[in-house]
Amino acid sequence: MNDKKRLNSYEDLPLVLDVADIQRIMGISRASAYELVHTPGFPAFRRGRLIKGSKIAFFEWMAKGSETVPGSDK
């Protein structure tokens, strides 16, 4: 996804998200985005060295909430 493109709606997102897309959606650092995609239960898959995730699965995961938050002691 073009980093300069402004996200105005859900429809603006590609069907398959990469780590940079997740970073921009959530407003987190690149390191935090990589930590997030490696969290157990996060809806991502690897294709070679690329990490991708379904837009639908990502937003369902966000709506459901996460039991563990990366970087927290809880």
Side-chain angles (χ1 to χ4, degrees):
M1 180 173 239
N2 184 349
D3 287 336
K4 294 183 181 10
K5 184 176 180 185
R6 186 175 169 93
L7 298 176
N8 293 320
S9 71
Y10 178 82
E11 289 77 25
D12 287 343
L13 296 170
L15 290 175
V16 178
L17 305 174
D18 60 20
V19 176
D21 295 327
I22 293 166
Q23 175 186 350
R24 289 182 57 228
I25 292 165
M26 298 197 70
I28 58 178
S29 70
R30 181 178 170 163
S32 293
Y34 274 99
E35 188 175 346
L36 181 64
V37 299
H38 288 99
T39 301
F42 187 84
F45 58 92
R46 290 186 72 96
R47 180 71 181 159
R49 46 176 250 181
L50 300 176
I51 300 172
K52 300 286 185 170
S54 159
K55 169 173 76 170
I56 295 168
F58 171 71
F59 280 94
E60 287 175 352
W61 174 85
M62 277 193 10
K64 180 179 74 170
S66 176
E67 293 181 15
T68 59
V69 178
S72 75
D73 294 331
K74 296 180 181 179

